[in-house]
Amino acid sequence: MINENIKAVRQSKGLSQEELAIKLNVVRQTVSKWERGLSVPDSEMLITISDVLETPVSTLLGETVTDSTPADIRELSEKLEIINLQLARQKASRRKIFHWTFIAACVVIVLIFLAIYLAGNAYLEWDYSDPETAVVGTAIHAFVWGFVRIAPFVFIGTIVGAVMTRKRN
């Protein structure tokens, strides 16, 4: 079984016995003996063969390797095309979600700026001798102070994000 699999994989990769032998640092006769079933490679060599042929060791040990027919190749290419289309749709969907999220973030930032502007600084005229008023006033002031300093950078970032994720024709 291993002899047939080594031969089938080698041939499917388009390698001659000589070429495989060179890659494995053995003589061609060794590869020939493996393929005729006269000897078996040791475990270390089996791993090396697996690496060179880019095939799992399990395939070399027991899974039957069959030559691909044009129908099999066509079927595989159709499946790959379907997978590629699904991945493209997912990517476009994610891009669209990110795009509209960036636009929504821009709108929210502008609305909060408008609310702060229209509300003015009325909280600065409150009587801060009452502890509850002092806490609320301080929290509002901290929010406004932080928002006014950080929001412009976030706004620019969201505009850049919206531009980068727009649909390209």
Side-chain angles (χ1 to χ4, degrees), residues 123 126-140:
Y123 63 89
W126 292 353
D127 178 21
Y128 282 89
S129 60
D130 179 27
E132 291 178 1
T133 304
V135 169
V136 172
T138 304
I140 291 172

Side-chain angles (χ1 to χ4, degrees), residues 107-150:
V107 170
V108 167
I109 290 170
V110 169
L111 291 176
I112 292 174
F113 259 118
L114 282 173
I116 289 172
Y117 177 75
L118 294 175
N121 295 331
Y123 63 89
L124 294 176
E125 298 170 8
W126 292 353
D127 178 21
Y128 282 89
S129 60
D130 179 27
E132 291 178 1
T133 304
V135 169
V136 172
T138 304
I140 291 172
H141 183 68
F143 172 76
V144 170
W145 185 87
F147 185 81
V148 168
R149 280 155 184 79
I150 294 172

Side-chain angles (χ1 to χ4, degrees), residues 43-62:
S43 59
E44 190 174 310
M45 182 55 72
L46 196 57
I47 293 170
T48 306
I49 294 169
S50 169
D51 290 339
V52 168
L53 294 177
E54 299 172 339
T55 304
V57 174
S58 60
T59 300
L60 296 175
L61 287 175

Side-chain angles (χ1 to χ4, degrees), residues 16-35:
S16 67
Q17 286 183 347
E18 184 70 29
E19 291 168 330
L20 179 59
I22 290 170
K23 290 184 178 201
L24 295 174
N25 294 322
V26 298
V27 294
R28 186 200 57 78
Q29 289 81 1
T30 303
V31 175
S32 175
K33 285 181 181 180
W34 293 337
E35 290 183 358

Side-chain angles (χ1 to χ4, degrees), residues 4-18:
E4 296 167 1
N5 291 339
I6 291 174
K7 183 176 182 177
V9 173
R10 175 185 59 78
Q11 289 175 339
S12 72
K13 300 289 182 181
L15 295 172
S16 67
Q17 286 183 347
E18 184 70 29

